[in-house]
Amino acid sequence: MKLEVKNINAAYGDNEVLHDINIHINYGEFISLVGTSGVGKTTLFNIIAGLIIPDNGDILLDENPITGKTGFVGYMLQKDMLLPYKTVIDNISLPLVIGKENKKSARDKVMPYLEEFGLKGYEYKYPASLSGGMRQRAAFLRTYMQKKQIMLLDEPFSAIDSITRANLHEWYSDIAKRHKLSTILITHDIEEAIALSDRVYIMSGKPGRIKGELTISRQGNLSEFLLSDKFLDYKRQILGML
């Protein structure tokens, strides 16, 4: 699938939030949107997800218009939003149950993924007993169970410690490649964007605009890349556009 965001403009009343936004994501690609708070990144995600209708512009999926239509992308918010009174497996099954599937059938579909997502043995525990990293993996799996090839991730790693975050970066990258997911990540963290992405879009200004696009070329393993001169050069280029 290829998703295209074309000439998007959006305002809240007289306050223009987004101006002439053009981005795209190809099949199996990982891209990031980097920008300061208030630049309109989450508004753009809500438009892509069909939750908000833009004032102008189009969202196209494989050249078919989906502007203002929901159900075409998976969307994970910053907080894990796990329901404290439901077990892990029932939290993960929720998209299937909302889609009118019975509870047993939904659980049966989730079960094969638990080991891959690092949750085997915790399926009947409650969210309060999970670590931050496990809660995020549960939230990722719940989003994945919507069975959408395009995933919108709104700062999913921001609330966890740096060591857990680094582990989750490697874990999610592997999951995305294995399941051929296309991912759009919102982040304030420039280093995170460079580490994970094939391309980075830089947003700035009020209203928010796309100030630049950077293609990331990685060689060797991630830990070596993070210490390389090339990594630092990418960071300088992004900072220069913000």
Side-chain angles (χ1 to χ4, degrees):
M1 290 184 175
K2 179 177 181 178
L3 181 80
E4 296 176 89
V5 176
K6 299 186 72 173
N7 308 119
I8 291 293
N9 292 275
Y12 296 120
D14 295 330
N15 180 31
E16 189 179 14
V17 179
L18 297 171
H19 182 80
D20 197 28
I21 301 295
N22 289 274
I23 67 172
H24 72 277
I25 182 168
N26 298 312
Y27 176 77
E29 196 175 24
F30 195 122
I31 69 171
S32 290
L33 291 171
V34 174
T36 56
S37 295
V39 79
K41 300 186 299 297
T42 297
T43 298
L44 179 57
F45 260 24
N46 287 334
I47 290 171
I48 293 171
L51 302 175
I52 295 175
I53 298 175
D55 295 302
N56 300 101
D58 298 289
I59 309 297
L60 303 174
L61 185 61
D62 289 337
E63 301 183 358
N64 298 308
I66 60 167
T67 313
K69 299 178 182 179
T70 60
F72 288 92
V73 299
Y75 192 175
M76 180 174 165
L77 302 174
Q78 182 175 353
K79 294 182 179 179
D80 60 63
M81 305 296 286
L82 298 179
L83 300 175
Y85 53 87
K86 285 186 176 289
T87 61
V88 169
I89 194 165
D90 288 333
N91 266 288
I92 296 167
S93 302
L94 201 55
L96 302 175
V97 173
I98 290 172
K100 308 302 183 185
E101 195 145 345
N102 69 64
K103 186 174 180 179
K104 182 181 183 307
S105 174
R107 284 181 168 185
D108 287 344
K109 287 185 176 179
V110 168
M111 278 291 188
Y113 294 99
L114 291 173
E115 186 168 358
E116 182 180 9
F117 279 72
L119 297 165
K120 185 71 173 175
Y122 291 87
E123 51 265 45
Y124 297 112
K125 296 189 180 296
Y126 289 88
S129 66
L130 302 184
S131 68
M134 293 181 74
R135 290 176 67 102
Q136 289 303 95
R137 290 200 298 272
F140 277 121
L141 180 51
R142 181 184 57 197
T143 305
Y144 176 73
M145 292 311 298
Q146 298 174 33
K147 292 301 181 184
K148 310 302 178 189
Q149 288 302 118
I150 296 174
M151 301 276 276
L152 308 182
L153 307 182
D154 191 349
E155 298 194 77
F157 308 109
S158 62
I160 51 182
D161 65 88
S162 59
I163 295 174
T164 303
R165 188 184 309 136
N167 290 334
L168 277 176
H169 285 169
E170 292 196 24
W171 170 82
Y172 182 77
S173 293
D174 182 60
I175 289 288
K177 289 173 184 173
R178 196 179 312 156
H179 292 281
K180 299 179 174 60
L181 302 176
S182 304
T183 304
I184 309 178
L185 171 72
I186 284 177
T187 181
H188 292 97
D189 189 329
I190 295 171
E191 294 186 359
E192 178 175 80
I194 299 169
L196 291 172
S197 305
D198 298 303
R199 288 183 296 116
V200 178
Y201 285 103
I202 298 91
M203 291 184 68
S204 69
K206 291 184 182 293
R209 305 167 188 259
I210 300 295
K211 299 293 288 193
E213 175 188 347
L214 193 63
T215 299
I216 307 298
S217 176
R218 284 186 295 274
Q219 293 181 344
N221 61 48
L222 182 58
S223 59
E224 291 174 348
F225 175 63
L226 294 175
L227 298 172
S228 68
D229 291 337
K230 180 178 280 191
F231 181 86
L232 292 175
D233 184 54
Y234 286 140
K235 187 173 181 180
R236 289 189 196 98
Q237 290 184 61
I238 293 173
L239 285 169
M241 287 186 246
L242 285 173

